[in-house]
Amino acid sequence: MISDNVPLFLFPIDMTALPPSSIEDRIEVLKTRWELYVAEGLFEQFIEFAVAVNSLAEHFNRMRLPGLMRICEGLENAVLAHLGKQSSHPIGDRDVLALQRQMDTLFGAVASAKPHVPDPERRAEDQASAQHDIDWIKPRSVWLVSAPERREMVDALCGQLRFFGFQVAEMTWGGAQPAGDMPLAVLFIPAHGSTSPQDFDCIASVRSTCPASQLFYLGVQSAIDPIVALMRAGIDVAIPSEEQPAMVLDRILDLVQNFEQEKHRVLVVEDSRVAVALIQRTLAQHGIDSHAIRDPGTLFDVLESYRPDLVLMDMFMPRFNGVEATRVLRQMSAYSTMPIVYLSGASDVGMQVEALRLGGDQFLTKPFNPVLLAAVVKTKIERFRETQRSTRLDGLTGLFNHTAAKSRLSAIVSQMPEHGALTVAMIDIDHFKSINDTYGHPVGDQVIRALAWLLKGRLRSSDLIGRYGGEEFLVALPGVSPEQARSVIDRIRGDFSTLPHAHPGGALHATFSAGIASYPMLDTAAGLTEAADAALLQAKRLGRNRVEKAVLQ
């Protein structure tokens, strides 16, 4: 515990400050705080500037803009190098110029990364941004830099990318770069063998031209030396020969998806008003929701009602300390894995060791660094949520796994209104064992992922999509009649049959069969899945690559 008369960290409390909502807003905040520091040179102003840089980098990460995030992280590292002693501020003119150059590079990359949109489309974009809080329309173009020997593979990749709506431009190694907007990604596909000095020059040239793009190299040796060399030249993702091209489309599709993530929630257990104000302001700057309590005796009630992702706890509190609170929490199954981070002004190593042994996750010393506090909180929460997700989601596709899909379907059926409609489909990729045996399991995995992407892209967010097992999928369409469902699934079936699946030798095509069953003809989750599965088997018997409806005996 610290006194309210002692500053927890040296920047002013402004609880009216709200986190900016868009890239443009965050850049404006960054510029304003930098200009204020350059004009006055106060240490607390530099801290505000550092927080703004960190917030922008995290926003690029959430928006899946890795190229811009990389540039911003370079600026952040340079800023943090100056976040040392207060006596070193204001920094010298040379350092000011160096940071200004990095910011100019970042601002130029942001401007070049956002593609030109004609006025009618821009108006639609602005409306979508206002309604959905999405402030960035990402480019949909991809460059392919390839060797002539890889023509067959390049054609297959081009077909796959165009199927999912990307504009593809091709160039040869060392050739002229395509005109127009900067691409979302650049794929380097070399000839078989090692990378030459000229190849590295080509990569460096593209990196210089496209600072915000994601650069992929397909076909690297599975060894650290060549991968490090490629990264130094400007490559972001080096994909080993045995994994490409199965991985590349997954990565590129991931770049264009904006996921509305549930807001991080932190419970602050701290009896100092000053500490609470500074902690909550720091968290708010990074889009993290928080709730504070001063009396640890109310901990259980607040945990139940607020359901935080992390507890940020003062080590020394009235009535009992953080070690005792952790000991109690870890005895309860609901909170046995919840991250606990301690704030303490003391350096009692024995108490720290005991707290960590009981399951505490980290100590932060007061006065705390706001950038470090936000980074620790976000990292711990993401790992905690990933652990939770791993029990519900399929690792290959990101869909619900078998257990979660069945549970979700049961919940949907139990909540169906009296005259509601629900159609369930079971989908199975045809001749999948033959695909694995002929092309290998990485290509088979690619086919499974491609169908998962297609289902996610064609169905509604309210629909249930799960990987039921192997090459089989479960789909539930609330409010949809059997006839409508059959039409929707059949369109997806037709699209999937035309989708090329790239592999080192070219491309292959696959098909699927499906069976559907509906509520209220069957009014249990088990009955629906069994009937849909029987219809699926009938589709297989009738020749595959078709959709069949369940027929009740």
Side-chain angles (χ1 to χ4, degrees), residues 88 179 273 337 399 452 468 533 538:
S88 64
R273 289 189 299 272
T337 60
L399 302 175
Y468 206 65
D533 201 48
Q538 179 65 6

Side-chain angles (χ1 to χ4, degrees), residues 163-465:
F163 182 91
F164 285 101
F166 293 96
Q167 294 80 48
V168 182
E170 297 184 50
M171 60 179 283
T172 58
W173 285 88
Q177 297 180 12
D181 292 327
M182 292 298 99
L184 176 73
V186 182
L187 310 183
F188 292 90
I189 306 174
H192 297 290
S194 60
T195 309
S196 68
Q198 292 77 18
D199 293 340
F200 283 110
D201 291 341
C202 176
I203 292 170
S205 175
V206 172
R207 168 51 71 211
S208 176
T209 304
C210 309
S213 303
Q214 185 86 329
L215 271 55
F216 295 83
Y217 185 96
L218 281 66
V220 69
Q221 298 172 320
S222 295
I224 191 168
D225 288 341
I227 295 175
V228 169
L230 288 167
M231 292 172 64
R232 288 174 177 170
I235 292 294
D236 295 297
V237 181
I239 300 177
S241 301
E242 61 269 20
E243 296 186 19
Q244 55 86 18
M247 184 191 293
V248 67
L249 186 63
D250 188 19
R251 295 291 192 97
I252 293 176
L253 285 169
D254 196 47
L255 293 176
V256 296
Q257 296 186 41
N258 288 330
F259 295 101
E260 287 295 324
Q261 297 182 343
E262 185 182 355
K263 206 167 190 180
H264 294 170
R265 297 184 302 277
V266 174
L267 176 61
V268 182
V269 186
E270 169 66 69
D271 65 325
S272 164
R273 289 189 299 272
V274 172
V276 168
L278 291 171
I279 290 168
Q280 290 194 304
R281 179 169 183 250
T282 297
L283 297 177
Q285 286 282 334
H286 291 80
I288 300 171
D289 187 62
S290 61
H291 178 78
I293 59 173
R294 301 184 66 188
D295 178 10
T298 64
L299 183 58
F300 283 169
D301 292 338
V302 177
L303 284 170
E304 179 65 27
S305 61
Y306 183 59
R307 297 189 178 277
D309 300 295
L310 178 144
V311 176
L312 189 62
M313 187 184 305
D314 186 14
M315 178 56 74
F316 299 101
M317 300 176 291
R319 298 163 57 187
F320 47 81
N321 60 40
V323 171
E324 293 168 325
T326 301
R327 188 186 298 275
V328 174
L329 287 178
R330 292 308 189 220
Q331 294 180 34
M332 308 182 70
S333 59
Y335 311 120
S336 61
T337 60
M338 178 177 291
I340 298 175
V341 175
Y342 300 104
L343 285 173
S344 176
S347 56
D348 185 336
V349 175
M351 180 175 285
Q352 292 184 14
V353 170
E354 184 180 1
L356 293 173
R357 186 181 293 123
L358 287 169
D361 290 270
Q362 190 158 342
F363 278 88
L364 293 176
T365 304
K366 299 175 182 177
F368 67 85
N369 180 318
V371 175
L372 180 60
L373 172 66
V376 167
V377 166
K378 286 180 288 190
T379 300
K380 299 298 182 186
I381 290 177
E382 282 301 319
R383 289 179 180 173
F384 175 59
R385 286 189 171 181
E386 185 60 36
T387 300
Q388 291 183 312
R389 282 193 293 265
S390 66
T391 64
R392 298 183 295 110
L393 301 184
D394 170 59
L396 180 65
T397 63
L399 302 175
F400 284 118
N401 59 25
H402 177 92
T403 302
K406 288 180 64 176
S407 175
R408 179 62 183 147
L409 178 60
S410 296
I412 292 173
V413 173
S414 68
Q415 297 167 9
M416 286 296 297
E418 183 178 355
H419 300 292
L422 171 68
T423 301
V424 171
M426 296 294 290
I427 296 172
D428 187 83
I429 299 173
D430 297 325
H431 302 295
F432 186 74
K433 184 178 184 301
S434 177
I435 293 173
N436 274 341
D437 292 344
T438 304
Y439 301 100
H441 288 277
V443 175
D445 289 346
Q446 177 188 353
V447 174
I448 290 173
R449 278 195 299 260
L451 179 52
W453 297 326
L454 197 57
L455 291 170
K456 286 190 286 187
R458 297 290 193 271
L459 298 178
R460 304 166 299 178
S461 60
S462 58
D463 297 328
L464 165 63
I465 313 171

